[in-house]
Amino acid sequence: MTSKKLPFTKNKTKEIIKEYPTPFHIYNEKGIRDTARRLYRSFSWAPGFKNYFAVKANPNPYILKILAEVGMGTDCSSLPELILAEKVGIKGENIMFTSNDTPAAEFKKAKELGAIINLDDITHIPFLEEAAGIPEIICFRYNPGSLRKHKGNVIIGKPEEAKYGLTKNQLFEAYKIMGEKGVKRFGLHTMVVSNELDNDALVETAEMLFDLVVEISRKLGIKFEFINLGGGVGIPYKPEQKAPDLEYISKKIQKLYEQKIEKNGLAPIRLVMECGRAITGPHGYLVTKVIHEKHIYKEYIGVDACMANLMRPALYGAYHHITVLGKESKSKTHIYDVTGSLCENNDKFAIDRKLPKIDIGDILVIHDTGAHGFAMGFNYNGKLRSAELLLLPNGKVKQIRRAETVNDYFATLDFLGL
Ligand SMILES: *Cc1c(COP(=O)(O)O)cnc(C)c1O
C-alpha cells in the first residue's frame, strides 16, 4: 500500500495549532495551483477550454480567486454562490449557472450578472422568461436515462433515477423553442458521474455529448458554441486507488472531437468542464486532536472534530485516509473507530480502521477534505464550523475563514428580550 504525503510536518502543524486551535481545514495553495494548471495543460488542444469550478465544493473567496488567476470560472447553483463569484470579481460568462428546482430570484440574479444559464428542465423556459427574460446564450442539461451505457454510482445514482436534466426528446423541443425565441448561442451540458475514477467513463460522457450535438445541429440547424462535460472527475481517497489519467482522457476526447465535431464541420465548439472535487479535494486536510480514548465493545478514539466538519463518511460511508502525525512509520497494530462528539452514532470518520497505537493529544490529519468537506458543514447539535486556513506557497499560513463563535450560532435567534 502506498502512503499519502502531507505538505506539512508535525512540527509545522504544532506551530500552526498554537495560533489556530484544532479542528481546522487547511488547504495547500501550491497543490491547488499545480492541479488546476495540469487540467488546463491536458486540454490545451481544446478550443477555448475552461473549467468552471463548482463553487459548492469549496465556497471560499480565496480559493475562487486562486482558481480565477489560473483561468477558471465558477459553476454556481444558488444566489449566495452567484454573489460570492461576483464579490471575487468573476462576472459574465465566466459564471455558469447550473441549478435545479431554481427559485425565480436566482434566475434573475444570474441573468443580471450575464452568467451562462444552464436549464435543468423544459418547463424552466417559460419560468425563466417570466422571472428574468430570455438570455442571449442558453444551455440545457441532458439526462440520458437508460440510454447511458455506463451506469452512475452511489453519489449521483443511475441517470434514470436522477432528478436532473431533460430527456433526449425534450432537448430537441427545448432548443427549438429557444431558437424560435431568437436565441442564437447554445451550449449542451450533462453530469452523469460523480467521483469517477474510470478514465473511460469520462471519455464516454464526451462521446455521448458529441453524438448528441451532431444530431441536434443537423435536425434543428442550430450552431453549438460549447459543450460542458460537467464535473465528477474522481480523486483517489484510498492510498491504493489511482487518480484518473487526465492526459489519457484528454487524448481520447481529442480523437472523438476530430471524428465527430471537426469531420462534421461543426468546429470550433468550446469544450468546458465543471470540476470541483478533482481541483481542490486532494489539497485539503482536516486537522484534529485526540481528546479521548474509550474501550468498550470496540476501541474508540474521540477527536475534537465531528461530522459537522466533514460529513462524507457519515453520508456516503466515504473513506478518508487518516495520518497520525509523527507515527507515519509505526506499524498499524490497532483497530479503531475514530469518532466525533455528535449525538449520532454515525458520527465516525473511520470504522474498524487499522492505525498505529493512538494516544490522547495525538494530532490526526484527515486527508482529501478540500472539496465537499467544510462546505457540507452544519450546526446540528450546536456544533460550530471550524476555521479554514491556507498554506501559502512560501510556507506561511493565512486564515481564510475564522471559526464560528456561539454568537454566530445565536445570531438568527430571538431571545424574547431575555
Ligand atoms: C457538484 C457538481 C459539480 C462538481 O462535482 P465534482 O464532483 O466536485 O467535480 C459540477 N456540476 C454540477 C452540476 C454539480 O452539481
Side-chain angles (χ1 to χ4, degrees), residues 151-162 192-194:
K151 292 302 169 194
N153 59 30
V154 65
I155 296 181
I156 206 157
K158 291 182 189 165
E160 62 267 43
E161 283 165 20
V192 286
V193 294
S194 183

Side-chain angles (χ1 to χ4, degrees), residues 288-418:
T288 182
K289 206 173 235 171
V290 176
I291 54 175
H292 293 288
E293 56 179 300
K294 174 164 181 169
H295 311 282
I296 50 170
Y297 308 103
K298 296 183 84 174
E299 305 297 306
Y300 294 97
I301 292 298
V303 297
D304 61 4
C306 70
M307 70 183 269
N309 305 111
L310 176 69
M311 186 154 61
R312 298 188 71 260
L315 192 60
Y316 314 119
Y319 180 95
H320 278 265
H321 197 64
I322 296 177
T323 296
V324 186
L325 273 189
K327 296 184 176 174
E328 288 87 340
S329 54
K330 293 242 160 80
S331 52
K332 297 182 173 171
T333 50
H334 286 61
I335 294 178
Y336 293 116
D337 280 14
V338 178
T339 74
S341 57
L342 225 66
C343 302
E344 292 288 338
N345 193 41
N346 64 347
D347 183 11
K348 295 178 178 177
F349 292 112
I351 296 173
D352 297 331
R353 182 74 57 89
K354 270 190 166 165
L355 290 164
K357 181 179 183 309
I358 294 176
D359 298 293
I360 290 174
D362 277 350
I363 302 160
L364 305 191
V365 177
I366 303 177
H367 293 245
D368 302 308
T369 70
H372 313 291
F374 178 96
M376 280 189 182
F378 54 92
N379 285 129
Y380 179 58
N381 236 174
K383 295 299 169 188
L384 304 177
R385 290 180 183 83
S386 78
E388 291 181 293
L389 309 179
L390 187 63
L391 177 62
L392 305 173
N394 65 10
K396 294 214 168 76
V397 170
K398 184 172 177 60
Q399 177 171 265
I400 57 172
R401 186 194 304 257
R402 66 162 173 81
E404 277 181 345
T405 66
V406 282
N407 284 338
D408 294 320
Y409 181 68
F410 291 149
T412 50
L413 289 179
D414 180 351
F415 284 96
L416 308 169
L418 294 175

Side-chain angles (χ1 to χ4, degrees), residues 147-205:
L147 299 175
R148 169 82 176 176
K149 289 177 276 175
H150 196 96
K151 292 302 169 194
N153 59 30
V154 65
I155 296 181
I156 206 157
K158 291 182 189 165
E160 62 267 43
E161 283 165 20
K163 65 173 177 170
Y164 309 108
L166 289 78
T167 67
K168 192 170 172 186
N169 286 337
Q170 286 174 339
L171 265 192
F172 286 89
E173 184 61 21
Y175 285 108
K176 188 165 156 274
I177 293 170
M178 280 305 196
E180 286 162 5
K181 289 186 186 294
V183 177
K184 289 193 175 60
R185 301 176 60 204
F186 297 99
L188 173 66
H189 166 259
T190 200
M191 165 114 181
V192 286
V193 294
S194 183
N195 193 29
E196 183 62 69
L197 292 173
D198 178 353
N199 293 325
D200 292 307
L202 299 161
V203 176
E204 273 176 36
T205 298

